[in-house]
């Protein structure tokens, strides 16, 4: 075996640390981006943030008094801006130049030591905001749980300590919806025998819980929950109340499936009587304990905002999600004087990379959002029914970016429009052929299905076949099973469950 040396020339793509950071920042959501920035700020002392979200928070002194003094960033921002010269100047976001790449721009190292690399990045102006009129903090009260609400009613009743303990035992066995899922017999079997608690005592405790507010709490089934509420509902005629009780206790399945003909035959009543009983049942709440749930809703902050302008629709970045970053002026002056270490030089380069990549991130988001608005102008003017088919490659070819870059930009990025808040991916969708040889967006077809089902006769709702036929009359060739798939995605019940008296 003979050994030889050979020279071979090849080309390959190497991802520099700056390019890797640019790609990572581009695919992060707004929340993840701010978390990433906070982590970098804690590790790099040369980088500082001018729009600290804690600047306007209420701060307490050691004696418990409220600190009314301004925060350090607010107090030192104006002097720093006056004394930094080139270092503290405002750095506008770089405009897109159409360069390709996964990061939406040139990802090479930042050139020069000019002021734009040393300055802050983000919206201009002071970061201070208006304070409350009286300067007092607005503290939110802790929500009351279902258990606390029920136990407060127990304390107001004049019952023995033994009875209160049994009622508390039943309350602790309730789930979040207010139901007693565990059988009462199993609860009684778990009690110590030396307490000598009779089953009737536990049943009495359950009856006391079922008499409390909210109505329907302590029920062991949906039928019992509705029946408890109907019995306590004021102003209901006796005949209607009795019929509603019979329906929920014996024919609740038929009622849920809207088998009105079977109900009229079983109850020997007409449409008017059944309609009145149905109205009573609809006033009930099948989940009485859900009102005390402590679930906190998550709110989405838009990345871009679309407004109507004189010449069409304009797209703007949301300044509330754009962090204001800059290099610390003190460290910057020391480094210019040559009083720095090698590690500090590396941290300076990392800070400059982050500031530039942040510019590129928001610039790419703005360019992609503007391209989407230019192609979906009919949506902003007429709604979802005017949505046109759009794929990622069309935007990528227009902006000169890679398709994967468009995918990163449109994921977990949101646009605020006159029609509501939408993720950027919402404006992309498949197409359906039309009789005229054109294409219709699947989003527009879903909007038409919502319109058709919303305007249908409740006594004679439209079937999936009828909806497909009506769409065909408008030139959209679509199968019945496709209509059923779109209807289920829109969470629209089938025709049997949409029928009413």
């Amino acid at each position: 075996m003979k050994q030889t040396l050979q020279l071979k020339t090849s080309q390959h793509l190497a991802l520099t640390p700056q390019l890797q950071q640019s790609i990572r920042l581009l695919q992060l959501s707004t929340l993840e981006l701010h978390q990433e920035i906070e982590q970098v700020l804690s590790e790099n002392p040369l980088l500082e943030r001018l729009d600290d979200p804690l600047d306007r928070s209420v701060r307490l002194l050691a004696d418990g008094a409220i600190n009314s003094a301004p925060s350090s960033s607010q107090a030192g921002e104006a002097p720093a801006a006056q004394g930094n010269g080139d270092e503290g100047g405002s750095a506008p976001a770089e405009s897109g130049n159409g360069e390709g790449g996964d990061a939406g721009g040139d990802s090479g190292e930042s050139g020069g030591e000019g002021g734009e690399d040393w300055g802050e990045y983000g919206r201009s102006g002071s970061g201070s905001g208006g304070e409350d009129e009286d300067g007092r903090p607005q503290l939110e009260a802790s929500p009351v749980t279902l258990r606390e609400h029920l136990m407060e009613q127990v304390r107001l009743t004049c019952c023995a300590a033994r009875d209160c303990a049994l009622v508390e035992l039943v309350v602790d066995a309730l789930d979040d919806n207010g139901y007693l899922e565990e059988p009462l017999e199993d609860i009684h079997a778990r009690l110590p025998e030396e307490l000598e608690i009779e089953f009737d005592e536990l049943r009495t405790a359950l009856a006391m819980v079922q008499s409390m507010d909210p109505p329907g709490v302590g029920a062991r089934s949906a039928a019992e929950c509705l029946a408890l509420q109907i019995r306590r509902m004021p102003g209901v005629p006796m005949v209607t109340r009795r019929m509603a009780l019979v329906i929920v206790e014996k024919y609740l399945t038929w009622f849920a499936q809207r088998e009105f003909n079977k109900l009229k035959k079983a109850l020997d009543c007409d449409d008017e009587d059944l309609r009145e009983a149905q109205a009573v049942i609809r006033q009930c709440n099948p989940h009485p304990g859900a009102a005390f749930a402590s679930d906190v809703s998550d709110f989405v902050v838009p990345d871009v905002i679309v407004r109507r302008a004189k010449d069409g629709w304009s797209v703007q970045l949301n300044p509330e999600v754009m962090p204001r970053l800059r290099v610390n002026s003190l460290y910057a002056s020391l480094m210019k004087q040559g009083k720095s270490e090698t590690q500090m030089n590396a941290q300076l380069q990392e800070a400059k990379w982050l500031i530039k990549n942040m510019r590129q991130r928001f610039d790419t988001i703005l360019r992609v959002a503007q391209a989407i608005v230019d192609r979906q102008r009919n949506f902003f003017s007429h709604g979802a029914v005017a949505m046109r088919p759009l794929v990622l490659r069309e935007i990528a070819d227009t902006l000169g970016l890679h398709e994967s870059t468009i995918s990163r930009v449109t994921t977990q990025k949101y646009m605020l429009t006159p029609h509501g808040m939408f993720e950027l991916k919402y404006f992309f969708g498949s197409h359906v052929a039309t009789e005229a040889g054109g294409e219709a967006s699947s989003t527009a077809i879903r909007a038409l299905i919502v319109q058709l089902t919303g305007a249908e006769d409740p006594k004679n709702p439209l079937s999936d076949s009828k909806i497909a036929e009506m769409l065909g009359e408008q030139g959209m060739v679509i199968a019945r099973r496709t209509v059923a798939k779109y209807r289920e995605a829109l969470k629209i019940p089938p025709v049997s469950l949409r029928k009413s008296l």
Side-chain angles (χ1 to χ4, degrees):
M1 184 176 182
K2 185 177 180 181
Q3 295 182 352
T4 60
L5 296 176
Q6 294 181 353
L7 296 177
K8 184 178 180 181
T9 303
S10 63
Q11 294 182 348
H12 65 279
L13 178 63
L15 295 180
T16 63
Q18 184 181 5
L19 181 58
Q20 295 177 7
Q21 183 187 64
S22 179
I23 295 175
R24 186 175 70 255
L25 293 179
L26 192 62
Q27 65 187 6
L28 295 179
S29 64
T30 299
L31 179 61
E32 294 171 342
L33 176 66
H34 285 269
Q35 293 175 348
E36 177 80 9
I37 292 175
E38 292 299 327
Q39 181 178 357
V40 175
L41 289 173
S42 63
E43 298 174 353
N44 192 343
L46 273 74
L47 191 65
E48 64 180 6
R49 182 172 183 173
L50 300 181
D51 58 341
D52 188 358
L54 297 179
D55 279 348
R56 287 170 287 179
S57 61
V58 178
R59 302 177 185 274
L60 299 180
L61 300 177
D63 57 354
I66 298 178
N67 184 12
S68 58
S71 60
S72 58
S73 63
Q74 291 177 344
E77 183 174 349
Q82 297 175 0
N84 289 340
D86 294 341
E87 292 82 6
S90 176
E94 296 176 354
S95 59
N97 52 13
E99 295 175 355
D102 289 342
D106 183 15
S107 297
E109 293 185 359
S110 174
E113 302 290 331
E116 68 173 299
D117 288 332
W118 294 78
E120 66 178 68
Y121 166 66
R123 61 183 184 275
S124 61
S126 174
S128 60
E131 301 292 340
D132 294 338
E133 295 181 359
D134 54 1
R136 291 193 298 266
Q138 303 297 325
L139 302 179
E140 182 182 1
S142 59
V144 179
T145 63
L146 178 62
R147 185 185 186 281
E148 293 173 350
H149 181 67
L150 294 176
M151 293 308 301
E152 183 65 24
Q153 299 177 63
V154 172
R155 284 188 285 268
L156 296 177
T157 59
C158 299
C159 57
R162 180 184 179 91
D163 297 334
C164 291
L166 292 177
V167 171
E168 185 175 1
L169 178 65
V170 175
V171 169
D172 290 338
L174 301 179
D175 60 7
D176 294 337
N177 292 323
Y179 282 82
L180 183 65
E181 294 184 345
E182 187 177 5
L184 205 60
E185 292 79 4
D186 294 349
I187 298 177
H188 181 262
R190 288 192 289 103
L191 297 176
E193 297 182 357
E194 56 269 16
L195 296 179
E196 298 181 354
I197 298 176
E198 299 293 337
F199 184 74
D200 291 339
E201 295 181 85
L202 201 58
R203 186 181 300 170
T204 303
L206 176 61
M208 182 177 295
V209 173
Q210 292 179 349
S211 64
M212 295 180 180
D213 182 77
V217 68
R220 289 159 288 187
S221 63
E224 185 179 12
C225 179
L226 299 176
L228 290 171
Q229 298 180 55
I230 293 173
R231 291 190 178 96
R232 297 173 58 179
M233 195 174 298
V236 180
M238 183 60 65
V239 177
T240 305
R241 189 192 304 271
R242 186 182 300 112
M243 183 177 298
L245 287 173
V246 173
I247 292 175
V248 299
E249 291 176 349
K250 296 182 179 181
Y251 307 108
L252 186 59
T253 303
W254 286 359
F255 181 80
Q257 297 176 353
R258 297 178 179 265
E259 299 287 351
F260 298 125
N261 292 329
K262 294 182 179 180
L263 286 174
K264 289 189 294 184
K265 184 176 180 180
L267 300 174
D268 191 17
C269 63
D270 55 8
D271 290 346
E272 185 64 26
D273 295 337
L274 186 57
R275 189 178 295 110
E276 293 178 357
Q278 182 185 22
V280 172
I281 298 175
R282 287 184 177 275
Q283 297 179 24
C284 300
N285 182 11
H287 305 287
F292 297 89
S294 58
D295 296 338
V296 180
S297 300
D298 295 330
F299 297 93
V300 177
V301 180
D303 296 271
V304 293
I305 301 175
V306 179
R307 295 185 176 93
R308 182 183 293 274
K310 294 182 179 180
D311 56 347
W313 297 93
S314 65
V315 183
Q316 298 176 352
L317 290 171
N318 184 8
E320 298 297 330
V321 301
M322 299 174 62
R324 302 173 59 197
L325 303 175
R326 72 174 182 183
V327 175
N328 185 279
S329 58
L330 176 60
Y331 287 106
S333 60
L334 292 176
M335 296 186 66
K336 283 193 172 184
Q337 297 174 7
K339 301 177 181 180
S340 61
E341 300 178 357
T342 305
Q343 181 180 0
M344 189 173 293
N345 292 328
Q347 291 176 337
L348 173 63
Q349 190 65 33
E350 292 176 359
K352 293 165 59 179
W353 282 355
L354 179 62
I355 292 174
K356 182 174 181 178
N357 288 333
M358 291 290 295
R359 291 194 187 101
Q360 293 178 351
R361 177 186 187 273
F362 286 104
D363 176 69
T364 306
I365 292 175
L366 181 61
R367 294 173 58 199
V368 172
Q370 184 64 58
I372 292 174
V373 172
D374 292 341
R375 282 154 182 78
Q376 299 291 3
R377 291 186 181 275
N378 292 334
F379 165 82
F380 297 98
S381 302
H382 306 288
V385 293
M387 185 81 76
R388 56 156 289 188
L390 184 64
V391 293
L392 297 176
R393 181 174 296 277
E394 182 175 349
I395 302 295
D397 294 341
T398 301
L399 300 179
L401 303 177
H402 196 272
E403 190 173 347
S404 62
T405 303
I406 307 300
S407 177
R408 293 187 183 97
V409 173
T410 56
T411 301
Q412 295 182 340
K413 313 297 187 304
Y414 294 88
M415 176 185 293
L416 179 61
T417 72
H419 301 285
M421 184 94 67
F422 301 97
E423 189 179 9
L424 295 185
K425 278 190 176 297
Y426 172 79
F427 298 94
F428 298 87
S430 58
H431 64 275
V432 176
T434 60
E435 292 183 352
E439 296 177 346
S441 172
S442 59
T443 305
I445 295 177
R446 291 189 182 96
L448 288 174
I449 293 176
V450 173
Q451 288 187 357
L452 293 175
T453 55
E456 67 185 1
D457 184 8
K459 297 182 179 180
N460 188 21
L462 300 175
S463 62
D464 295 339
S465 301
K466 182 62 177 178
I467 294 176
E469 181 181 346
M470 296 176 68
L471 292 176
E473 295 175 356
Q474 301 185 24
M476 301 178 185
V477 182
I478 183 172
R480 182 202 61 81
R481 61 180 179 273
T482 306
V483 174
K485 181 181 68 174
Y486 288 166
R487 177 183 53 76
E488 292 174 357
L490 294 169
K491 297 182 179 181
I492 299 177
V495 60
S496 59
L497 298 183
R498 300 201 308 272
K499 186 176 182 181
S500 62
L501 291 171

